[in-house]
Amino acid sequence: MKVSLISVVCLLLGTQQLASAERMLYSDSLNPCQTNNNFSATQFDVTLTPANNSLSFSVVGVSTIMGNVTIDLRFIAYGLQAYQTTLDPCKLGFQGLCPMNDGQINLPTSNVPLPGSALAQVPGIAYTVPDLDAKVQVYFNSTTTGQSAACVEARLSNGKTVDQKGVAWAIAVISGLALVASAITSGLGHSNTAAHVAANAMALFSYFQAQAFIGMTAVPLPPIVASWTQNFQWSMGIIRVTFLQRIATWYQRATGGTPSTVLSSLGTTSVEVEKRSLAAVTNLVKRAAYEVHNNILRARSNAAGSNGADTSNTVIVRGIQRVGFRAGIEVTNIFLTGYIFFMIFVVAVVIGVLLFKLFCELMVKAGRFKGDKFQDFRNGWTTVLKGILFRIVLIGFPQMVVLCFWEFTRIDSTAEMVLAIFTIFTMLATVGWACSKVIRLARRSISMHKNPAYILYSDPVSLNKWGFLYVQFKATAYYFIVPVLTYILIKGLFVALAQKSGTLQAIALVVIEAVFLIGVCIMRPYMDKKTNAFNIAIVVVNFISAIFLLVFTGIFTQPGIVTGVMGVIFFVYNAVFSTILLIIVLVASIIALVAKNPDTRYQPMRDDRGSFIKSQTQLNTELDALGATARGESKHGWSNGKGARIEDDDDSLSGSSADRSGHSHHQQQQQQNTAYQGGMGRPQQLAGPPSYNSRSDTASPYQNSQQANSFRGQGASPSPWQRGAGYE
């Protein structure tokens, strides 16, 4: 892989850091790398500067090593040992290390000259690739026995990372713009465009959440993968806001919980690190203090006044804890943070809908809205609001599945546990009821009209309230939302409940993604070829990412260089793919908002849904009245803004829907027969029946020959205007 390709992708996503022009590698954390370690550090700073061939470091720690030692220093990058040297502290004049004594060690900033030939062995890519996967290991070997008395290692950074708030905000804004564009376009009557934009926006959002899932697994991710997936944790509600963290901590304490103090300990350590003399990288060190590499964080207590005993406190974070730590959120606040942001999202959307309703009414009174602009929304805004709330539940479903079930394993406090139980089971019941509703409506439509699209798209109440579950699919695949939700639920369960085994999570994700990929490729359930291609591409990338995740577990015992290179490849292909998806959705959203007739960009659906979609506006033509009568709709169905009987009947759980369906079908046939007087006369005029949005000249509301023949059997052939309405 060429470095130039990586640089281009980083530049495209805005992930290149504006750091010092001087190349350097540095670290401010120290971790033990062998058992029975006799040295621990409370502060550690090391900087490798190739410009002056020097290695600068300072150490404050506690040692139980007695006597003279030699220091074996090794530089390892992407699993390969690039450099090794042996240092004699006595010859170099390191105070406190010649000899080493039991107790505290305070080694001031020291500089070690390095030969140019040694620095030449460090690849140039180490100074430019974001989230460098490199470390320095230091072995303290006894001069008398030659055995290692202690081993510590430091993760190195070059100051560049792909974990950027700007990238996360840009992704979130584009996703939100797509959802808003689909809502506005739908209100303007461009239902076909709105369906496509909304379907692509939801697919894009699901891809972002899939990336966040990978970051939440307990797999030891390469640094660049952990940083990249961190950009998508906002989709799971993992967003740090200082005052919300205070509220979450207060709530936990007030309800009997005990907040964790990992970040507060690190805050003290990071302040000490900032005092070093390298002003050029001060800001970088602030961020580096909150970064975790390979799932390991060592929080050490202050050793001042120690009697020589190792007072270090080791805390290991992985998976969801790692994600929260990198975001600056205490482990015990992760669930409540995600929950709060979900509720904020719900409240903000409700307020937004109410304000838009008020805006529309003010514009109508001021005479600014001409024609029937947003009339469907103004007439049935309560139904639209219900549909939007169901959509929010669908968007937040992956987030709450992971966080709520993960809370079951932690029980941060009794009240938070109750919140988790109430929230997740309410959401499961809500989406379950919505899916059953769609399936019942579709089955009734099939039994009455031999076509599931008839009722699903002809009833505005059903379409506005439940349409988010099926509009992205073709009419015959209305049920595919059930496999999609099952797929999300199973993935979320493994991510939430298997935090102790990253290998189990990786294997499960590979199997789940493979099964889902096969199902999508075989069924191709989405509304058209472009939407199928868009979603299949996302599922393919998710499956490839799951395979990479399995490799990262080390189950194949591959060399470290393989894991490091695959981490870079993971970032590159996901960055390129994300950029392409964002461009597609952004362009589609802009065109939907600015084009006069954006529906011309999309072909009519083959399931003929466009001929069924109706508005709540009054009809003005006899042809529309004829179409409404032929479908068996009541002449007062929408005149008062009330819901359709289809929706009202189906709300009953009495189990008598079959009888009602037969009765409705009988009424429909009677109305069809009375609508035509011998086949040649004019149809009876109906008062206030519904109209069509995006009516297709070639589309027929009848999807079977039996219905079409019922009109031909009246004794005369249809007139030309009847053929134009689509009855032939």
Side-chain angles (χ1 to χ4, degrees), residues 345-355 385 388-389 392:
F345 182 49
V346 172
V347 174
V349 170
V350 172
I351 293 176
V353 172
L354 295 177
L355 291 177
L385 179 59
I388 291 175
L389 292 177
I392 294 175

Side-chain angles (χ1 to χ4, degrees), residues 316-645:
I316 301 177
V317 295
R318 60 170 62 89
I320 298 176
Q321 295 182 5
R322 176 183 61 221
V323 166
F325 175 76
R326 290 178 62 98
I329 301 174
E330 288 286 359
V331 173
T332 51
N333 286 347
I334 293 176
F335 163 74
L336 202 56
T337 299
Y339 183 85
I340 290 174
F341 271 101
F342 176 72
M343 298 308 299
I344 290 175
F345 182 49
V346 172
V347 174
V349 170
V350 172
I351 293 176
V353 172
L354 295 177
L355 291 177
F356 187 70
K357 165 66 174 176
L358 178 62
F359 169 78
C360 290
E361 297 302 329
L362 292 176
M363 290 296 100
V364 170
K365 291 183 179 180
R368 298 294 181 88
F369 277 179
K370 298 180 180 180
D372 58 352
K373 183 177 293 186
F374 295 111
Q375 185 171 347
D376 286 349
F377 171 76
R378 291 187 284 115
N379 290 343
W381 70 275
T382 54
T383 301
V384 173
L385 179 59
K386 292 177 183 178
I388 291 175
L389 292 177
F390 279 116
R391 285 170 173 85
I392 294 175
V393 171
L394 186 63
I395 292 174
F397 185 68
Q399 167 190 346
M400 300 313 297
V401 164
V402 172
L403 295 180
C404 290
F405 281 107
W406 181 64
E407 177 64 18
F408 293 171
T409 66
R410 292 193 51 82
I411 313 180
D412 293 319
S413 74
T414 303
E416 291 186 37
M417 186 65 176
V418 172
L419 278 178
I421 295 174
F422 174 79
T423 301
I424 189 58
F425 287 108
T426 299
M427 293 184 74
L428 288 173
T430 300
V431 297
W433 164 253
C435 291
S436 67
K437 185 79 169 182
V438 170
I439 293 174
R440 281 183 287 146
L441 288 173
R443 288 181 176 177
R444 176 183 298 181
S445 181
I446 293 173
S447 64
M448 294 173 60
H449 310 288
K450 309 301 181 183
N451 179 15
Y454 190 96
I455 291 179
L456 292 180
Y457 292 96
S458 67
D459 178 20
V461 174
S462 298
L463 185 59
N464 286 328
K465 189 183 295 186
W466 315 112
F468 71 98
L469 292 173
Y470 58 81
V471 292
Q472 66 269 35
F473 305 116
K474 55 188 178 183
T476 55
Y478 61 88
Y479 56 84
F480 200 76
I481 188 61
V482 176
V484 169
L485 292 176
T486 304
Y487 157 77
I488 295 173
L489 177 61
I490 296 176
K491 279 183 64 175
L493 287 174
F494 275 101
V495 172
L497 302 178
Q499 284 289 305
K500 293 183 179 180
S501 177
T503 302
L504 175 61
Q505 289 177 322
I507 295 174
L509 288 182
V510 169
V511 174
I512 294 170
E513 296 291 356
V515 172
F516 191 67
L517 174 60
I518 293 172
V520 171
C521 290
I522 293 176
M523 298 185 62
R524 298 179 185 178
Y526 295 93
M527 65 176 75
D528 56 18
K529 290 182 178 180
K530 291 183 178 180
T531 310
N532 271 306
F534 192 88
N535 283 271
I536 290 175
I538 291 175
V539 177
V540 169
V541 172
N542 288 341
F543 175 65
I544 296 174
S545 297
I547 294 177
F548 273 66
L549 187 67
L550 184 62
V551 175
F552 296 153
T553 62
I555 193 174
F556 302 110
T557 63
Q558 70 277 4
I561 184 64
V562 174
T563 303
V565 171
M566 290 189 69
V568 176
I569 295 174
F570 179 95
F571 159 69
V572 170
Y573 81 77
N574 274 289
V576 172
F577 185 69
S578 299
T579 305
I580 295 174
L581 293 184
L582 287 171
I583 292 174
I584 293 175
V585 173
L586 181 61
V587 170
S589 301
I590 294 175
I591 294 177
L593 293 175
V594 302
K596 292 183 178 180
N597 187 13
D599 282 341
T600 57
R601 296 185 66 245
Y602 304 99
Q603 295 180 352
M605 298 295 100
R606 291 186 176 182
D607 54 26
D608 201 23
R609 66 181 66 181
S611 62
F612 301 138
I613 298 176
K614 301 175 297 183
S615 69
Q616 299 180 35
T617 57
Q618 298 297 323
L619 296 184
N620 299 316
T621 67
E622 293 182 350
L623 288 180
D624 290 329
L626 172 63
T629 305
R631 289 192 304 273
E633 295 160 348
S634 171
K635 64 182 180 179
H636 303 295
W638 284 97
S639 60
N640 297 324
K642 297 180 181 180
R645 286 190 58 81

Side-chain angles (χ1 to χ4, degrees), residues 13 31 171 195 257 420 434 466 701:
L13 295 180
N31 306 318
I171 293 172
W466 315 112

